Amino acid sequence: EVQLLESGGGLVQPGGSLRLSCAASGFTFSSYVMTWARQAPGKGLEWVSAISAGGDSTYYAGSVKGRLTISRDNSKNTLSLQMNSLRAEDTAVYYCAKGRGSGWYVPIDNWGQGTLVTVSS
Amino acid sequence: EIVLTQSPGTLSLSPGERATLSCRAGPSISISYLAWYQQKPGQAPRLLIYGTSSRATGIPDRFSGSGSGTDFTLTINRLEPEDSAVYYCQQYNSSPFTFGPGTKVEIK
């Protein structure tokens, strides 16, 4: 059974930093594209970033480019999201998600339960 | 960036009825790269349909997808109370892999 367990969320001041982690199990982590998506309170889903199976290629939403950095450690089955220069509008539940294959152009077929990031003074 | 719009914003129907949800893409996308997700309150999203019309594992055949180019549809036949949720379309044709704003389905 695929399991994705996010951690690292919390309260941070504007301009601050936070690092989210996602522990993956139940599948061959190194064979799949991984994604971060987020959902502001009471709002819809927003795609944030994705990383290739090997970790050598990444994509970002324009709203986070240059501030958020996705990475993965295939030896530890862990996905990360380094979040810098945080803004109030980054407040959201952040989901770790697994692609349905190793290629870029795949849907998300498994989601974690999410971790809440609140940016406020 | 590909923008997805969904209509209607909210759909209120009775059990047993059919729900028809629309997702419009601009510019057009390949049918291979359009998915639908269901999200219930307090839960993570769940993949329903990918590649416009392929059902994900465990999804009942009451759910079906169709469309091409710029217009895509999710149809839910014989609505059940458990279908009450928000439904999102997503394109994975090109980055950023955007989601639509969602359609809320309410069961009367």
Side-chain angles (χ1 to χ4, degrees):
Chain A
E1 178 192 4
V2 171
Q3 291 196 351
L4 300 168
L5 185 60
E6 302 95 338
S7 61
L11 175 64
V12 60
Q13 291 188 338
S17 298
L18 209 58
R19 187 176 182 86
L20 305 184
S21 295
C22 172
S25 61
F27 64 104
T28 305
F29 181 72
S30 60
S31 295
Y32 293 90
V33 168
M34 296 296 294
T35 293
W36 287 100
R38 68 186 181 184
Q39 188 167 35
K43 303 298 184 183
L45 296 170
E46 181 184 10
W47 180 88
V48 172
S49 181
I51 188 167
S52 61
D56 56 343
S57 187
T58 57
Y59 283 133
Y60 294 94
S63 59
V64 306
K65 193 173 291 185
R67 301 186 301 115
L68 275 57
T69 303
I70 191 172
S71 61
R72 66 192 296 163
D73 185 337
N74 286 345
S75 68
K76 297 181 179 178
N77 291 353
T78 300
L79 178 71
S80 297
L81 186 67
Q82 178 65 42
M83 309 171 70
N84 297 331
S85 302
L86 284 164
R87 307 166 180 167
E89 54 265 36
D90 295 318
T91 294
V93 173
Y94 283 74
Y95 291 103
C96 166
K98 169 188 167 290
R100 194 179 172 274
S102 60
W104 275 119
Y105 307 104
V106 294
I108 294 170
D109 66 355
N110 283 276
W111 301 70
Q113 284 305 303
T115 186
L116 176 63
V117 172
T118 303
V119 184
S120 175
S121 55
Chain B
E1 174 173 323
I2 295 173
V3 176
L4 300 179
T5 56
Q6 292 187 242
S7 61
T10 302
L11 202 50
S12 185
L13 295 167
S14 299
E17 291 190 307
R18 174 185 297 167
T20 303
L21 287 65
S22 173
C23 176
R24 180 160 291 181
S28 65
I29 61 174
S30 165
I31 63 170
S32 299
Y33 305 127
L34 192 285
W36 291 91
Y37 302 86
Q38 176 193 65
Q39 187 179 34
K40 297 180 179 180
Q43 295 185 17
R46 176 174 72 148
L47 177 65
L48 296 176
I49 300 287
Y50 63 94
T52 295
S53 59
S54 296
R55 276 185 298 277
T57 303
I59 302 303
D61 60 7
R62 299 186 296 105
F63 292 86
S64 63
S66 62
S68 65
T70 59
D71 293 301
F72 298 87
T73 300
L74 174 69
T75 302
I76 312 172
N77 290 310
R78 304 182 303 280
L79 276 168
E80 298 183 1
E82 67 197 42
D83 299 331
S84 180
V86 179
Y87 293 82
Y88 297 94
C89 57
Q90 184 208 16
Q91 65 80 22
Y92 44 101
N93 187 95
S94 63
S95 177
F97 301 128
T98 46
F99 290 94
T103 290
K104 184 176 184 179
V105 173
E106 297 177 339
I107 309 300
K108 295 176 184 175

